[in-house]
């Protein structure tokens, strides 16, 4: 017994000695020690003296962030990170690029909240999360905007275009309909409601559409579901049973209209501001290129007469067309928008109706159709997809990488492939194929990576811009909803982005008489912009009511109410000189010549309030935050003179 | 229990068996450690495989660095309408201007960053040219103007450089 221990002891002692030596080597012969020893020479190479003792003491540097639950020791090696004079120094001494640290001081935010990695680690491999099974790999710089989204909770994040694009896409395609997505809480139906679908579309169109929406629209919002032919038939037949809702307006009997007059009306109403025709035009509504093969004339009459009855959330305005005009329009649509070669209608196999009904219902539930389409007869199943609140912090070890498995084993690669083709990633997935292009998939990947489920304290969170102010109510509100003003115009941070300037201060900006005329008979103020205000057939009474409402409500304190703009003699001449010397003509047409960047100014005197013009020139960004109109820093006198000069231009439309 | 004395004599017995067990254990430990270290290296090897998300972003950036990508956003908002997508001075508004907008390809090298920065901030009139290029010093901060210069340098360095994909 004695002797046996005698043999073991030297071995154990040797092992202990080796361990201790290794620990010493690891701790003191470390990478960071060498890095710090070279720091003074790197500084010298950039014309800096060795660091003062109160500025830098050799040893482990760390930022302790109890609020974020982090300890970041990155600055142990990244010694010049906040020193702009080391911008050209080699890694790891180089300064942080950009002005990020000015907005996000390291002593408050640390490093790993943005960059990932193992903040407390001191060995490069571990710190950069390259060790196997590392729970926190370094975020690649291409995807770094995902980190912005941890604190910046709105859809639009300034300075993070990729993240914003991904979040916009997720909202546009309504990921929140099937998934729990923090930040996207507004439940909306992506597709049309289906209560009238049986009367709206043809059987052949519906079958083709369900097979592949890309066959009908270039950029359909509806994804492609991998339906078996029998399922498709079942869904088609099941859907066609829904032919309307009680109390709907009666169908029009006579359909004969004049296609030529309809064509004039189609162009005059600027339908292509929202709809494209064979690829050219707006993107708010669907392409109309071959719509004659999709919808029935009877439905079209009812829809154009009152789009909001069947589709309460459609962005389409209710135009003030007469029944005769509607007939003309439909005659035009049905003769003009036909497919060049109509593909042969698919034979739809006939199956037992009872079986079809059951299959249709089953397929409905399985594929979550009702997450995007409203149907009064059936309740929505709610969010049928997985909760995405923490997808950005999933561990790589729990992910299954589908064959051919050639990509990196990272969370970002996994998400990318999953979004690109859910069925390739998992053959049993119910999620449909969206057919996004790669740059869009990357943006969505960044947006998903930002959903880390990380609870940052309130002081760090930047919420979406508050939507201040209330929407118009009463009679004016009814008109706003009827004509769907906010499908194109911004108001208090809400609404569409087609119109350039928000309506927030329209009452202080535009003259009442001009507004009334313009609402009745709109024309192009900005010469070359393809999207124009549609002629909505607003009546004069309605236009006056809207103008009065805007004059009372959409106003700014910066333009004194009811004050008269008075120009002293000679002021207009001073304004003219200013106009020419400042180069305003480079962007604006005045008289015969000028640029196409800003609105033409020949009707300024009848269109705009001159006091507003003065205030606009003094601070353009107050009125339109993202305007590129330069702020010349001009004096109030000069702005006033310019406004006085422009006020003398009173040309009517055209 | 008493600690065993250190034995210097070689003596066959159970001690030898225990000693050799310890040696084997030690050897096994070293082997396992070495093997797992090797495993780490292999596991890391996957990091070399392409990440499609990273690749897609890089493709979108067309070889530009991150500051230049930000500069490109500003360029297309403020400059492109006159100076053109490739900086050739052939933007959509160029034909309304007399004199025509400058060809920006290679302009940074020809005139120097300080001159261009000056024009962006105070407008073309400030360097004795026409007033048609307005001053953007109040719209764009110093850092944003810097990003624009980086874009000019990286993407529009010389005639033809803007044609690169």
């Amino acid at each position: 017994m004695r002797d046996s221990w005698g043999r073991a002891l030297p071995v154990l002692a040797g092992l202990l000695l080796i361990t201790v030596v290794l620990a010493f080597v690891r701790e003191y012969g470390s990478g960071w020690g060498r890095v710090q020893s070279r720091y003074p020479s790197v500084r010298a190479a950039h014309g800096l003296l060795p660091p003062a003792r109160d500025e830098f003491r050799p040893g482990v540097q760390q930022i302790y962030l109890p609020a974020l639950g982090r300890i970041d020791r990155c600055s142990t090696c990244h010694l010049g990170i906040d020193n702009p004079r080391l911008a050209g120094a080699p890694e790891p001494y180089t300064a942080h690029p950009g002005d990020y640290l000015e907005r996000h001081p390291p002593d408050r935010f640390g490093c790993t909240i943005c960059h990932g990695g193992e903040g407390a680690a001191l060995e490069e491999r571990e710190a950069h999360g390259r060790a196997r099974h590392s729970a926190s790999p370094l975020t690649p710089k291409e995807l770094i905007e995902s980190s912005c989204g941890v604190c910046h909770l709105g859809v639009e994040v300034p300075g993070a275009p990729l993240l914003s694009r991904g979040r916009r896409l997720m909202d546009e395609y309504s990921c929140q309909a099937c998934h729990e997505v923090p930040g996207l809480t507004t439940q909306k139906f992506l597709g049309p409601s289906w209560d009238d679908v049986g009367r709206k579309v043809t059987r052949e169109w519906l079958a083709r559409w369900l097979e592949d929406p890309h066959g009908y629209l270039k950029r359909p919002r509806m994804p492609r579901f991998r339906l078996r032919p029998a399922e498709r038939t079942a869904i088609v037949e099941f859907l066609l049973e829904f032919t309307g809702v009680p109390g709907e307006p009666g169908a029009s009997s006579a359909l004969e209209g004049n296609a030529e007059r309809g064509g004039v009306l189609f162009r005059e109403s600027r339908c292509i501001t929202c709809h494209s025709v064979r690829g050219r035009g707006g993107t708010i509504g669907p392409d109309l290129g071959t719509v004659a093969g999709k919808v029935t004339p009877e439905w079209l009459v009812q829809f154009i007469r009152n789009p909001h009855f069947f589709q309460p959330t459609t962005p389409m305005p209710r135009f003030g067309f007469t029944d005769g005009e509607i007939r003309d329009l439909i005659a035009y649509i049905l003769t003009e928008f036909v497919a060049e070669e109509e593909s042969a209608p698919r034979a739809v196999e006939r199956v037992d109706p009872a079986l079809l009904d059951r299959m249709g219902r089953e397929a409905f539930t399985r594929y979550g159709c009702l997450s995007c389409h409203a149907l009064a007869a059936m309740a929505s199943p709610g969010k049928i997809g997985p909760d995405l609140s923490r997808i950005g912090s999933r561990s790589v070890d729990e992910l299954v990488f589908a064959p051919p498995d050639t990509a990196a084993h990272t969370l970002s690669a996994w998400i990318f492939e999953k979004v690109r083709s859910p069925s390739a990633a998992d053959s049993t997935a119910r999620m449909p194929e969206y057919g996004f292009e790669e740059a869009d998939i990357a943006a969505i990947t960044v947006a998903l990576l930002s959903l880390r489920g990380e609870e940052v304290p309130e002081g760090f969170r930047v919420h979406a811009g508050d939507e201040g102010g209330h929407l118009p109510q009463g009679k004016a509100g009814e008109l706003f909803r009827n004509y769907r003003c906010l499908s194109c115009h911004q108001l208090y941070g809400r609404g569409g982005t087609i119109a350039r300037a928000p309506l927030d201060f329209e009452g202080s900006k535009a003259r009442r008489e001009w507004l009334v005329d313009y609402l009745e008979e709109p024309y192009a103020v900005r010469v070359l912009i393809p999207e124009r205000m549609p002629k909505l057939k607003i009546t004069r009474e309605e236009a006056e009511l809207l103008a009065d409402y805007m004059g009372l409500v959409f106003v700014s304190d910066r333009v004194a109410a009811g004050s008269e703009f008075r120009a002293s003699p000679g002021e207009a001449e001073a304004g003219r000189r200013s106009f020419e010397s400042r180069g305003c003509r480079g962007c604006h047409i005045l008289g015969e010549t000028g640029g196409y960047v800003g609105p033409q100014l020949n009707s300024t005197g009848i269109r705009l309030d001159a006091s507003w013009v003065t205030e606009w020139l003094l601070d353009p960004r107050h009125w339109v935050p993202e305007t590129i109109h330069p702020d010349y820093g001009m004096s109030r006198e000069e702005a006033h003179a310019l406004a006085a000069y422009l006020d003398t231009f009173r040309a009517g439309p055209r | 229990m008493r600690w065993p004395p250190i034995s210097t004599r070689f003596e066959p017995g159970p001690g030898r068996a225990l000693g050799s067990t310890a040696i084997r254990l030690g050897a096994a430990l070293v082997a396992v450690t070495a093997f797992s270290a090797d495993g780490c290296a292999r596991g890391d090897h996957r990091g070399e495989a392409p990440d499609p998300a990273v690749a897609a972003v890089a493709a979108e950036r067309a070889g530009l660095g991150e500051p230049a990508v930000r500069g490109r956003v500003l360029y297309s908002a403020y400059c492109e309408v006159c100076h053109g997508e490739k900086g050739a001075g052939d933007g959509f508004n160029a034909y309304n201007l007399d004199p025509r907008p400058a060809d920006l390809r290679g302009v940074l090298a020809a005139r120097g960053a300080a001159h261009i920065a000056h024009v962006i901030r105070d407008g073309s009139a400030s360097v004795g040219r026409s007033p048609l290029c307005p001053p953007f010093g109040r719209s764009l901060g110093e850092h944003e103007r810097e990003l624009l210069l980086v874009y000019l340098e990286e993407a529009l360095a010389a005639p033809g450089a803007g044609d690169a994909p």
Side-chain angles (χ1 to χ4, degrees), chain A residues 163-207:
Chain A
L163 173 68
S164 306
R165 177 174 171 184
R167 287 184 168 174
R168 267 199 309 273
L169 277 165
M170 288 186 67
D171 190 36
E172 188 187 336
Y173 285 88
S174 198
C175 299
Q176 67 268 38
C178 291
H179 299 278
E180 185 68 44
V181 185
L184 298 183
T185 46
T186 317
Q187 281 303 315
K188 55 180 181 186
F189 289 109
L190 185 62
S193 103
W194 269 341
D195 294 308
D196 61 336
V197 70
R199 245 196 13 219
K200 171 183 176 184
V201 299
T202 63
R203 175 177 272 113
E204 293 72 30
W205 178 86
L206 190 55

Side-chain angles (χ1 to χ4, degrees), chain A residues 511-528:
Chain A
R511 290 176 180 271
R512 181 187 181 279
E513 304 73 34
W514 177 84
L515 255 182
V516 174
D517 290 344
Y518 180 81
L519 287 169
E520 229 185 343
E521 193 73 49
Y523 63 96
V525 176
R526 288 167 184 269
V527 208
L528 279 189

